[in-house]
Structures are given as C-alpha cells and as structure tokens.
Amino acid sequence: MIVDSNSEKIIRDDGVNYLNCDRGWKSWAFTLDHKRIGIMYLAGILLCFLLGGIMALLIRAELFTPGKLYLTEDKYNEFFTLHGAIMTFLFLIPSIPAAIGNFMLPIMVGAKDVAFPRMNLASFYLWVVGAIFFLLALGLGGLDTGWTFYTPYSTTTNSTVIAATMGVFILGFSSIFTGLNFIVTINKMRPAGMTWFRMPLLLWSLYATSIIQVLATPVLGITMILLTAEKMLGVGIFDPELGGDPVLYQHFFWFYSHPAVYIMILPAMGVISELMSVFSRKPIFGYRFIAYSSIAIALLGFLVWGHHMFLSADSPLAAVIFSALTFSVSIPSGIKVFNWLATMYKGSIRLDTPMCYALSFILLFGIGGLTGLFLGALATDVHLHDTYFVVAHFHYVMMGGTLIAFLAALHYWWPKMFGKMYSEKWAKVACLLIFIGFNWTFFPQFLLGSQGMPRRYARYEAEFEGLHRVSTTGAMVLGVGLGISACVLGYSLWRGKRAPRNPWGAATLEWQTGSPPPHHNFIGKPVLTDPYDYDDLVFDEEEGGFVRRRRRSSSEQEKPIKEPSIV
Amino acid sequence: MTFSIMDFVIFGSERSMFFPPPTSSTAAEVDSLFYFILWVCIVFFIVIVGVMGYCLIRYRERPGVKAEPSASHNNILEVTWTVIPGIFVGVIFYWGFVAFLDLRQSPDESYEIQVEAKMWNWSFTYPNGHVDNVLHVPVDKPVRLVMTSVDVIHSLYVPAFRVKMDVLPGRYSHTWFEANTVGDYTLFCTEYCGTKHSEMLSKVVVHPSGEFEKWLEDAANFLERMTPVEAGEILYQRRGCAQCHSIDGSAKVGPTFLDAFGSEQSLMDGSTITVDENYIRESILEPQAKVRVGYRPVMPTYQGQLKDEEINALIAYIKSLSEGSQVNP
Ligand SMILES: [Cu+2]
Ligand SMILES: [Cu+2]
C-alpha cells in the first residue's frame, strides 16, 4: 500500500493485509501476529458467549412456570452454574482485553506486535485448554456448585468440581500472560512522544486491568489448588469437619473475584471513553481524571471483597469497614459517567452504531451502578443479598456494562479488523432490540428481588410467577436482538462494503493504517498526533472515510497552531 | 397482584410494589432507607438521562457545524460532581450502618430458639426441648435465633421481616427479629445448597400474644396426647422425612413408605431384607449400615435426635401405610 505523504490518501493498494498475507491453517495455528491471535480469541469467546447465552435462555424458559417445566432441579443447577462460569471465566474476563485489546493495543502504540508474541500465543492456547476443561465438566455429568464453588458444598458434592477448578486455574495463567504482555508493551514500546498522558484512554484502562490480572489472578490459582487439594486429599483448610473454615474460602475467592469485576468493567470504561470522544468530535473531558481513576479503581478494588460476605460472619465491624470502602470505589466510577456526558456537551454528536451502544452502556451501567448503592448499604443488603435484586444488579453491570461495551467495541473496530462495513441500519435495529430486551429481562428482577425471591432457585412460589414471565419474555427479545446483531456482522464479512482506513474520523493511530492492517501494522512510521484532536480530520468522498488534512503554514492565523503532540 | 400508579408514586404505601408489608420491628427502617436510596437513584438517573437527551438534541451533528471549542477540564465542576454524590453516598453509608447495628444487636430479653439447617430442611428447637420444622414465635417479642448447619452453608431468610443470616457448619451465627403482626410468613434458604435448595422452605407462624405458650406446651407433649400413628405422621412431617420419602408410592430421594413395611428389598451389598421394625429402627439410627439398591446413601442419621418413643411412633406410622402389615408380625 502506498500512501501520499501529503494528504495521507492511499495512492495504490496492493491488497495485502494480515488476513491474506499467509494462508493455510498452520499460518493461523502457529502465528505470532497479535492481530491473528486477537481474531482467534474473538472467535473463541464468541463461541463461549453463544454457549453461555443458550444456557441463559434455557434457564429463563424453565422459570416461565413456578413448578417443573422441563428441567429437573439438578439439571437446572448445572445450567446456571455453567452459564455463570462460562460467561465470567471464558467470555467476560477475556472479552475486551484478550480479543479487542490484543488486536488494537500494539497498533495504538504504533508497534509491530506485543512485547512477547510467543507468550501471547501461549495465552490463547491456555485459554483453549481451560475451555476444554469446562466442556469436560459439562460432559462428565455437570457441575452444580454455582460459579463461586463455595465450600463445603463444592468439596462434598460428587460432581466434576475438579475439572472445572483446573479449568479456572489454567485460564488464570492465560489471563496473567495477557496482562503481563500488556504491561510490558505499554511501558516499553510506546513511540517517543507518546507520554503517559498522551496515550489513548483505552490504553490506560487496559494497563489498569493488566495490573489487576497480574496481582489478583495468582490468588485465584492458589485458591483453586487448595480447593482441589481439599477435595482430593482432605487437607482440612475449608472443611469444618476437619477443623477448617468454609468462610476462609469465600475470602480467598472474592479477593480475586471482586477485582475481577474491575477486570471486566475497566476495559469497558476505556472503550466508552474512546467512543464518546470520537463520536462527539471533541477531546475527552477530564482526561487526567479518567486516567487516574482507572488506576485508583484498580487499587481500591482490592480492598472491598468483604462486601460479598456481609452475612457470612458475625463481625459487624468488618462489615462496616467493607461497606465504607465499597462506597469509596463507587465515587470514581460514578464520576466517569459525568465526564462522558460532559464530553458530549458542545460536541457535534454522530449517532453511528458504536455510539448507540456507548449511550446504551451509559444508561445501563448507570442503573447497575446506582442499584449497587442498595447493596453497599448494610441494612438494605441484609434484605437484598442473594436475591434476584443482586442478579439484576450484576447483570446490569456485567451485561449492560461489559457486554454492551464489548459490542460497541466490536462494531467500532469491526471495519478495522475485517476491512468490511456492516449495515448501519440493521446494526442499529439490533442495538435497540438489545437495549429493550435487556431492560425487559432484568428490570423485573429488581422487583422480584426486593419482594423476596431468592436466587439460584429452580422452583419458586406462585406469587413470583408474573414477574418471572415478564423476564422470560424479555430474554427472548434480547436473544433475538443478539441474533440479529450476529447476522448483521456475519453478513458484512460476506457482502459488506469495503471499509476505508478511517470510517469514523478517529484520531488514534490504528486508523492511520489500512483496514485491515498489513502484517506489520504500518507501512512506514505512523504520524503521532493528539489522540483526541479531530480538527484536521475531514471526510473524503473518494476514500469513503476520513483523511487528515495537513495544516497549512503559519499564514493561516485564525487559530494558533498547537502541534498536538510530538511528530 | 395489580398495582396502580399511585402505589408506585407513594413508595412505602401499604401495598408497595417493592416489598411485602413490613411485619417486624426493624423492617420499616430498612424500607425507609431503601426508599431514600431509591429516590437518590431516581434523581441521579433523571439527571443523566436529561443531560444526555439535551446534548443529543442540541448538539447532534449538523452540516457545516463543528464541535464548539470548550474546556477539556474544569476543576470547579469536577469537584462539585465529586462532592455532591459523595455527600449522598456518605449519608447512605451512615444510615445503612446504624440500621444494620440494630439488625445485629438482639435485645437482652430475647426469646431464644435454636436453628439447625441441613440439606434440605430446617429444624427449630424451643427452650423446652420441642423440635419443629416450622418456626413458631410469639408476636411483639424479640426472638433470637442461634443457628448452625450440619452439612453445607445455608442462609435463613424471612422477607416479611427483612431478616437474613448465613447458617454455617461448625459454628453458630445469630440473628433476631420482633414480629409485630400475627400471620404466616415464608422462610427461605438463600445460600445455594444443592439439589433441593429451592425447596428448602419453611414457615414462620406468628402467634397472638398468650397463645404461643399454649401452642408450645401442646406441641411438646403430642406424644402423650396422640396415638402413635398420629404422632408418627406429625414427626414424619416435622422432622423432614417428607423431604425424601413419599407416602404415595413415588420415589423421591429415598424410597416411598407406601407399602414398604413387610416388603422384601435388595440391598447394595447384594443381600435382601424384609422391612420390619428392626430394619426401620436401624435405618433411622444408622442409615448407612444397609443401603437400598437404587438409592444414594444420603440419609442423615437421627441418632441422638429422636427419642425412643418417637422412633416407635414413626415405625407405627410407616406400618400403618402398608395394607398387609399384620401378616408379618
Ligand atoms: Cu464485588
Ligand atoms: Cu439452600
């Protein structure tokens, strides 16, 4: 690809990119290219999402009636366990970092690849092995402990806990490898001139996420080993019959799994920060605050695990401390919402599909965050803990937050990853259906919970039937929405219009290279610019996307030239 | 159940769409806090939607109009929107914490009931030694529950009282409440505990003042007042046998009691046995000693929990469920 250095327009395109530069399955299986690894991750996690999603629909279908519809209690328990475990460990945790981040992070810092490409590939294969262990757990008669593996139930039930915990253990390494790679890449491979505060915010959030992945995941690994040892050798750490303490397990588990909530939500916040700026055509409001708050959230996130155990132990003092710390993390997350809104103010807002998802994120994540106040407050948590209120709350945060941001990211970078444009119209229809279906499914669950419907119930009291039916109906709408979105994206691969280099007019580096990018990401050196300065980007009919108009010399004085960053 | 718009507007009215009516001394406080947080959420949400809607309409892309230059940050604004939510959050935290201490601190004069949870039933032991699977309490009197589990973790939850506490094996946990309205309320298990977690329900019966003591006395000496068969039936219900054993011929977790007495059954070790008084007694006290083919050895032992007369009553009851029971003396 030859690019005119003045207008940055493509003069000649030889059509060679990372997708077609090598052929054959080996060129994928042994690839060290972060882009291909990202795509393989993407395919993998989407498959898992499909599996987890089907289970969710099966669960909701069973809950259409209070008594048995078609699932025995044991099957129901297995389904909700695998739904939760697959969605968190196999989908949400790797979703944005490992799939999208893997693809974009090196390009965003203008590098050829991540710092350790081989480790990156290893991370993917570890993920595959971990996923196989989960399928094994499913095939070997099912896992029925809930995705939390609480002891002593998990050490006494005779189901396939060991396969699943080994799966989690292996997935942990996959996650650590990705985190380590990102930390080193961001620290060491940024081009001269891209200082910390000139990085795109997605990189900040991926950096913060990686810190959590590297620091917290080992604790999960150790916990899983202890659990396995407990189950196979009866070492007696958790089992009260052997002198152990079952609540200790909960501490270990949540010491990882609460920070894991931030592993899931921080990258989502990073994505939204990018999109709000690009589609408002304005620099992000309060860059430094957003950047620092990512790190603050990552660190404070380590101190709040106890809020999952307000009712597990008899120490009101511990509960009070954890409640206070929990509220203290809620503030930086909340303020980010205001920063995003302020970014829209006085902007020139374009409602392309990624932006629609981003707005949907703000509303859903807003509800998720606000309902967290009910659970962080001790007195109300006593009533709401382990009811559908909690189920609704974390679906608003995890699905309304992370999944919607993942979809936003997918629609935003899809043209870059595959070089194809999808149908805007149908993608928006899907976005709207997902938004409606989501609220339809999960909003009634807040009411179910506050009225006293416990979670993880295969059968329920007749008084809850109405709201359960509403929720189940909504789930089907949500399923249809997601289905349409899959079709729209799938169809674009086959019939989509060719994507320009910069369809959205974004200023981060990945939009300077071809769509899809060449094998080495850039031909020549990318021109470093301010990631949030859109003034020079103009739409070019011929190209079908945005190109950078070179600033004319100092004769043009209407505004002083602020060279946005080092060139 | 139908709700009118007014019920939604006047949160906390008698018929709330959020809660069952509050029927304990602490429930009203929890509800007030809930409604306070709800209003805070509603206000913040309206602000978010309002600002978003305004920007979307006012600053939608128009041809020829570029984004207006505006500050990339503003310290006063940023401090304001940190401090104001901060204050609300502080109030919520403090209120939640004060109300929580009330939920945890049982008054000294509380009436104490021992709770034992096991997969998948509850048993409540009253001060006079009476054991029941339904929680009976007097109205307007603080009741303290001292709870423990014999197997995995369970959690005791009475939505009408807004009370919940985990029940752990190997240690005691506590909770308390003071019911102030006579009636029956559902009691749930809210910590996932296996197959029948969703059926680990019980009831709280709140007795009018003065009647609780009478009920307790009657309940405790039912063995003397009733025939063994009647007493056995009550024990069958109360002590959780009904969870696993049916009396209509269907197999649940354990074999049915219908026509069990006098029948020939094969055991896991290959031998066969006739179900008679001794076998039933042994099954209750040492369930794992002889395990029926086709069933898992999950029946808990009742050693030390059932008195001899009670076992005899159960045997009489099981016997009464078999027609030809007299044939096999
Ligand atoms: Cu948490
Ligand atoms: Cu349970």
Side-chain angles (χ1 to χ4, degrees):
Chain A
M1 188 168 61
I2 311 290
V3 179
D4 173 9
S5 59
N6 248 336
S7 67
E8 289 194 3
K9 274 200 209 172
I10 302 173
I11 298 171
R12 206 179 78 222
D13 190 344
D14 50 14
V16 177
N17 58 46
Y18 81 97
L19 287 169
N20 59 14
C21 63
D22 255 330
R23 289 188 188 277
W25 68 271
K26 275 192 189 158
S27 76
W28 282 87
F30 299 112
T31 185
L32 297 180
D33 181 358
H34 68 98
K35 297 186 286 304
R36 287 193 166 193
I37 296 172
I39 297 296
M40 294 196 292
Y41 252 123
L42 184 65
I45 62 167
L46 285 177
L47 266 178
C48 290
F49 180 64
L50 179 69
L51 193 64
I54 289 173
M55 284 183 177
L57 291 181
L58 293 177
I59 291 169
R60 279 303 339 157
E62 170 62 34
L63 292 174
F64 197 68
T65 55
K68 178 177 170 179
L69 188 64
Y70 70 102
L71 283 178
T72 61
E73 289 167 308
D74 281 325
K75 272 278 164 285
Y76 178 90
N77 294 343
E78 287 168 20
F79 277 18
F80 82 67
T81 300
L82 277 156
H83 162 72
I86 289 178
M87 286 300 199
T88 32
F89 294 118
L90 291 173
F91 174 70
L92 285 170
I93 290 179
S95 63
I96 297 180
I100 311 250
N102 230 325
F103 195 110
M104 291 304 157
L105 183 137
I107 313 188
M108 283 180 129
V109 298
K112 282 204 179 91
D113 210 315
V114 289
F116 309 117
R118 282 190 176 74
M119 196 172 173
N120 200 15
L121 185 64
S123 150
F124 173 70
Y125 281 115
L126 283 175
W127 180 90
V128 172
V129 175
I132 290 173
F133 270 92
F134 266 95
L135 292 182
L136 223 61
L138 179 68
L140 289 177
L143 173 73
D144 71 339
T145 58
W147 76 279
T148 46
F149 306 111
Y150 270 17
T151 54
Y153 185 72
S154 58
T155 48
T156 48
T157 175
N158 50 7
S159 63
T160 48
V161 179
I162 292 178
T165 50
M166 287 332 286
V168 173
F169 183 74
I170 294 166
L171 287 172
F173 276 97
S174 153
S175 184
I176 293 173
F177 282 9
T178 304
L180 210 59
N181 232 328
F182 284 6
I183 291 178
V184 178
T185 308
I186 292 178
N187 267 324
K188 285 286 173 198
M189 297 175 69
R190 277 174 295 129
M194 186 186 276
T195 60
W196 283 100
F197 289 103
R198 282 183 180 139
M199 283 196 320
L201 284 166
L202 179 66
L203 299 188
W204 272 101
S205 67
L206 287 177
Y207 193 78
T209 309
S210 303
I211 294 178
I212 312 178
Q213 283 178 313
V214 170
L215 293 183
T217 318
V219 179
L220 178 70
I222 295 163
T223 312
M224 290 299 135
I225 292 291
L226 287 178
L227 187 62
T228 311
E230 179 89 18
K231 202 168 162 64
M232 296 195 353
L233 313 171
V235 286
I237 303 169
F238 304 129
D239 188 347
E241 261 175 35
L242 305 169
D245 181 350
V247 181
L248 181 65
Y249 172 83
Q250 298 181 20
H251 282 283
F252 284 171
F253 181 80
W254 289 114
F255 187 81
Y256 165 77
S257 293
H258 191 80
V261 171
Y262 295 104
I263 295 183
M264 298 181 243
I265 201 68
L266 277 171
M269 292 171 156
V271 168
I272 300 305
S273 302
E274 297 294 325
L275 299 191
M276 292 314 285
S277 169
V278 170
F279 290 95
S280 304
R281 320 292 311 143
K282 255 188 69 203
I284 187 90
F285 185 89
Y287 177 100
R288 271 176 193 258
F289 177 82
I290 298 188
Y292 282 132
S293 73
S294 298
I295 305 291
I297 291 175
L299 299 179
L300 282 175
F302 276 101
L303 305 177
V304 302
W305 79 91
H307 67 208
H308 297 268
M309 288 166 289
F310 286 157
L311 300 178
S312 309
D314 250 347
S315 162
L317 178 66
V320 168
I321 292 171
F322 280 117
S323 169
L325 286 167
T326 301
F327 279 117
S328 72
V329 233
S330 74
I331 300 272
S333 319
I335 298 166
K336 281 195 182 195
V337 172
F338 294 126
N339 280 55
W340 294 324
L341 292 177
T343 305
M344 290 168 71
Y345 178 69
K346 289 198 173 174
S348 168
I349 301 165
R350 266 206 336 255
L351 283 180
D352 293 322
T353 310
M355 184 63 167
C356 293
Y357 277 109
L359 296 176
S360 164
F361 170 95
I362 292 183
L363 295 179
L364 299 179
F365 179 71
I367 297 179
L370 288 170
T371 49
L373 296 175
F374 295 92
L375 300 171
L378 291 169
T380 39
D381 183 67
V382 171
H383 177 61
L384 299 171
H385 180 76
D386 271 342
T387 67
Y388 265 71
F389 194 94
V390 176
V391 176
H393 161 72
F394 70 71
H395 277 91
Y396 266 88
V397 176
M398 300 284 80
M399 192 171 180
T402 309
L403 174 72
I404 297 288
F406 170 75
L407 288 174
L410 198 59
H411 283 85
Y412 179 62
W413 280 296
W414 188 264
K416 182 58 59 187
M417 292 194 280
F418 298 104
K420 299 285 186 175
M421 298 303 286
Y422 46 83
S423 152
E424 270 288 320
K425 185 177 120 206
W426 284 102
K428 279 185 196 162
V429 169
C431 175
L432 187 68
L433 264 185
I434 291 173
F435 182 78
I436 294 173
F438 179 84
N439 285 299
W440 187 343
T441 310
F442 292 105
F443 204 83
Q445 296 187 3
F446 284 121
L447 297 179
L448 275 174
S450 68
Q451 289 174 9
M453 165 83 209
R455 68 191 279 205
R456 296 178 168 176
Y457 264 33
R459 312 280 179 257
Y460 56 87
E461 301 289 276
E463 59 184 297
F464 301 119
E465 187 175 11
L467 285 167
H468 268 301
R469 292 204 159 176
V470 175
S471 179
T472 298
T473 322
M476 303 303 150
V477 176
L478 181 56
V480 171
L482 287 166
I484 295 181
S485 152
C487 294
V488 171
L489 291 178
Y491 183 80
S492 80
L493 289 182
W494 180 41
R495 275 287 168 84
K497 248 186 26 217
R498 211 169 157 280
R501 277 188 304 163
N502 192 352
W504 318 117
T508 38
L509 293 186
E510 77 272 26
W511 303 103
Q512 286 188 18
T513 185
S515 301
H519 181 58
H520 288 300
N521 294 345
F522 295 97
I523 308 273
K525 257 197 159 173
V527 184
L528 205 58
T529 54
D530 183 323
Y532 299 112
D533 181 3
Y534 305 104
D535 286 351
D536 303 337
L537 289 159
V538 289
F539 192 78
D540 184 278
E541 292 294 340
E542 211 180 308
E543 159 105 12
F546 286 76
V547 292
R548 188 170 288 276
R549 171 174 46 99
R550 272 294 143 93
R551 286 225 171 79
R552 259 147 292 162
S553 60
S554 50
S555 63
E556 205 181 277
Q557 283 298 350
E558 90 263 68
K559 96 178 170 191
I561 294 190
K562 53 163 178 52
E563 260 320 300
S565 55
I566 318 312
V567 176
Chain B
M1 248 188 291
T2 52
F3 298 99
S4 70
I5 295 288
M6 279 318 277
D7 294 325
F8 188 80
V9 176
I10 313 166
F11 297 118
S13 65
E14 270 297 281
R15 287 166 43 214
S16 161
M17 67 190 286
F18 289 100
F19 291 117
T23 49
S24 76
S25 59
T26 45
E29 183 68 5
V30 174
D31 293 6
S32 314
L33 174 58
F34 183 95
Y35 292 123
F36 174 73
I37 304 176
L38 186 64
W39 279 115
V40 171
C41 288
I42 288 174
V43 169
F44 274 95
F45 193 67
I46 289 176
V47 169
I48 294 175
V49 174
V51 173
M52 186 189 279
Y54 172 78
C55 290
L56 279 180
I57 294 167
R58 175 74 181 66
Y59 301 111
R60 251 322 255 294
E61 180 188 45
R62 273 158 298 165
V65 182
K66 290 200 101 182
E68 297 170 40
S70 60
S72 68
H73 70 275
N74 178 331
N75 285 338
I76 297 179
L77 193 61
E78 282 173 88
V79 168
T80 319
W81 73 39
T82 308
V83 169
I84 293 179
I87 292 172
F88 277 110
V89 160
V91 172
I92 293 172
F93 161 73
Y94 184 73
W95 190 344
F97 146 66
V98 172
F100 178 71
L101 291 186
D102 287 344
L103 293 180
R104 277 292 172 82
Q105 266 317 320
S106 54
D108 290 340
E109 71 280 18
S110 302
Y111 182 80
E112 203 166 275
I113 297 174
Q114 311 289 321
V115 180
E116 192 181 85
K118 61 168 170 267
M119 288 166 164
W120 293 277
N121 57 69
W122 299 96
S123 72
F124 304 97
T125 308
Y126 297 84
N128 69 355
H130 171 63
V131 182
D132 210 302
N133 65 341
V134 171
L135 179 56
H136 293 263
V137 296
V139 74
D140 290 331
K141 188 165 182 192
V143 172
R144 179 175 144 94
L145 303 179
V146 179
M147 311 187 286
T148 189
S149 161
V150 294
D151 38 47
V152 302
I153 302 176
H154 303 274
S155 188
L156 179 139
Y157 178 36
V158 186
F161 301 162
R162 321 285 188 261
V163 159
K164 185 184 290 130
M165 187 67 196
D166 283 5
V167 182
L168 301 147
R171 65 165 82 159
Y172 295 96
S173 56
H174 310 90
T175 190
W176 78 278
F177 57 83
E178 182 180 323
N180 55 23
T181 314
V182 173
D184 289 6
Y185 307 100
T186 316
L187 182 155
F188 296 94
C189 170
T190 46
E191 186 64 67
Y192 174 69
C193 56
T195 310
K196 292 202 175 291
H197 167 56
S198 66
E199 279 165 46
M200 191 168 159
L201 307 188
S202 181
K203 239 180 5 186
V204 186
V205 178
V206 180
H207 291 270
S209 54
E211 284 179 26
F212 172 75
E213 289 71 17
K214 194 176 160 301
W215 167 84
L216 186 60
E217 202 179 319
D218 280 359
N221 55 25
F222 70 104
L223 280 173
E224 286 108 74
R225 286 185 297 109
M226 293 177 178
T227 67
V229 174
E230 282 168 345
E233 182 172 3
I234 287 182
L235 284 166
Y236 163 79
Q237 292 291 351
R238 257 188 208 162
R239 303 310 292 267
C241 320
Q243 289 280 329
C244 303
H245 297 283
S246 78
I247 49 169
D248 59 5
S250 62
K252 290 170 111 177
V253 178
T256 182
F257 285 162
L258 184 69
D259 291 332
F261 194 86
S263 64
E264 289 252 318
Q265 303 295 352
S266 28
L267 300 179
M268 288 297 261
D269 60 11
S271 59
T272 54
I273 189 139
T274 309
V275 178
D276 58 10
E277 286 89 344
N278 284 323
Y279 173 66
I280 295 179
R281 189 186 165 83
E282 186 186 6
S283 290
I284 295 173
L285 297 177
E286 277 174 78
Q288 260 67 287
K290 300 195 175 105
V291 177
R292 281 265 304 265
V293 167
Y295 294 93
R296 287 187 292 144
V298 291
M299 177 164 158
T301 172
Y302 286 85
Q303 186 94 50
Q305 299 184 28
L306 288 173
K307 293 189 277 254
D308 273 351
E309 311 93 85
E310 292 175 320
I311 295 176
N312 294 340
L314 277 165
I315 294 174
Y317 174 60
I318 294 173
K319 235 174 170 175
S320 75
L321 295 169
S322 298
E323 267 177 37
S325 56
Q326 305 311 342
V327 185
N328 202 340

